[in-house]
Amino acid sequence: MRDYQVSQRRACVLIGVDPKTVRRERPPDHAEIREEMREIAGLRRRFGYRRIGVMLERKGHIMNHKKLYRLYREEGLSVRRRRGRKRARGSRTPMPVPLRPNDRWSMDFVADTFGASRRLRILAINDDCCRENLCLLGDTSISGVRVARELDTLVRLYGKPACIVSDNGTEFTSRAILKWASENRVEWHYIDPGKPQQNAFIESFNGSLRDELLNEELFDSLADARRKLAVWRYDYNNVRPHSSLQNRTPAQARRAFLLNGGVTTDALVPAGQHEYQTGRLSL
């Protein structure tokens, strides 16, 4: 190359050498600036290249924004976009087995429409022990504050639950619900995202509600929807036999429990829970 004034590629072809064995990587330019960029990014992981550039200017390193962005990308400092949202942690204690009323409540939302395809949201709250539906509230919008207010009403009627299970919906993770659970000292368990089977009792109830009412009836108005929900709720609690309660109704199961003075008999234990109580099935 020096004697004949030929390019590196031409010289490699003439002597039969692969150019990759001859070429060497150039050392990165501005090594000092790169080191300071890495130090800033290590301390402030959510800073982009513009903020890092401001921090570098304070140290006397002023450069074009295009050059700054090139160095930023070459160092692999791009901020990864966070996916999803922060979820409430809830209680870390094991979920209690519902052997008595108020041991565990479960709650969820069901969606439907009324009138000219207007949105209808239904809040369902059940007692997992006696399978009784405690609340079936229908409205166009139900906020976390509304849910907390309904829970206060249910506590006055049925007593305070030991535990409540729900998904990570925005209403259940709102500040109003977190405040309510803290003030009332109620353990709140959030199921894992995408695993509704962890809240199987309320999911089974939702299936019955949709199969027996929502898919069978048309709601003309919000008042009509609320009336039919109330009628179906009374039928579910007082007339409809429940297979897991040995064909008793939820209201009969609750009354039998109260008559037994708080002692759960084998006839009252729902299917699958007698083994928990007697120790034949491990948790």
Side-chain angles (χ1 to χ4, degrees):
M1 290 173 60
R2 182 183 65 252
D3 297 340
Y4 297 96
Q5 299 296 317
V6 295
S7 65
Q8 186 186 75
R9 179 178 299 178
R10 179 63 176 169
C12 290
V13 171
L14 292 174
I15 62 177
V17 177
D18 192 333
K20 294 181 180 179
T21 63
V22 177
R23 294 173 182 171
R24 297 180 180 178
E25 294 184 359
R26 295 180 180 179
D29 57 334
H30 306 287
E32 181 182 354
I33 296 178
R34 290 173 183 267
E35 180 64 25
E36 293 187 3
M37 290 179 66
R38 287 193 295 268
E39 291 180 0
I40 296 172
L43 296 175
R44 305 176 183 273
R45 295 183 301 172
R46 304 304 299 175
F47 271 21
Y49 78 96
R50 290 187 178 89
R51 291 181 183 271
I52 291 179
V54 174
M55 302 294 288
L56 290 174
E57 288 181 1
R58 294 178 180 177
K59 296 183 178 182
H61 301 292
I62 301 176
M63 68 187 74
N64 182 274
H65 70 280
K66 296 180 180 179
K67 181 178 180 181
L68 174 66
Y69 183 70
R70 177 178 64 82
L71 298 178
Y72 177 80
R73 291 296 300 270
E74 290 178 356
E75 291 299 315
L77 302 177
S78 300
V79 178
R80 292 186 178 182
R81 189 173 184 179
R82 287 176 174 168
R83 299 294 180 182
R85 57 184 174 83
K86 188 176 181 180
R87 302 181 185 276
R89 190 176 296 274
S91 175
R92 296 183 179 183
T93 59
M95 187 184 302
V97 178
L99 298 177
R100 299 175 180 82
N102 292 343
D103 274 357
R104 192 174 76 197
W105 291 359
S106 58
M107 55 199 310
D108 197 9
F109 281 100
V110 183
D112 205 78
T113 59
F114 70 92
S117 299
R118 290 200 60 187
R119 183 186 184 189
L120 174 66
R121 300 202 73 195
I122 303 171
L123 172 64
I125 304 177
N126 281 17
D127 190 309
D128 290 347
C129 177
C130 55
R131 304 295 200 272
E132 185 177 9
N133 177 251
L134 308 179
C135 174
L136 203 58
L137 174 67
D139 209 334
T140 55
S141 177
I142 302 177
S143 64
V145 176
R146 180 78 176 278
V147 174
R149 191 163 64 244
E150 293 298 325
L151 288 174
D152 285 332
T153 302
L154 296 179
V155 169
R156 288 194 297 269
L157 294 175
Y158 300 98
K160 186 172 65 175
C163 170
I164 296 179
V165 184
S166 73
D167 57 20
N168 286 271
T170 55
E171 297 84 3
F172 300 143
T173 57
S174 62
R175 292 182 179 178
I177 291 298
L178 297 178
K179 180 181 178 182
W180 184 91
S182 176
E183 291 178 349
N184 290 272
R185 297 182 180 180
V186 174
E187 294 182 1
W188 201 292
H189 285 266
Y190 293 101
I191 64 175
D192 296 331
K195 293 186 177 181
Q197 64 271 20
Q198 294 182 0
N199 201 4
F201 290 120
I202 196 66
E203 292 295 336
S204 176
F205 173 83
N206 292 346
S208 300
L209 173 63
R210 186 166 297 281
D211 183 56
E212 299 175 13
L213 177 65
L214 301 183
N215 291 345
E216 296 290 328
E217 298 285 347
L218 292 176
F219 303 135
D220 298 329
S221 62
L222 181 59
D224 180 53
R226 288 174 173 173
R227 180 181 62 81
K228 292 179 178 178
L229 286 171
V231 172
W232 188 86
R233 175 176 176 268
Y234 176 84
D235 180 82
Y236 180 88
N237 287 335
N238 298 276
V239 181
R240 180 184 182 276
H242 208 295
S243 59
S244 66
L245 299 174
Q246 300 181 2
N247 291 328
R248 291 178 172 84
T249 64
Q252 289 174 341
R254 179 180 286 274
R255 285 195 299 269
F257 172 81
L258 296 176
L259 291 176
N260 280 274
V263 179
T264 307
T265 63
D266 291 351
L268 297 179
V269 177
Q273 293 185 19
H274 179 66
E275 290 78 2
Y276 284 109
Q277 189 179 15
T278 57
R280 292 197 296 269
L281 186 62
S282 60
L283 288 174

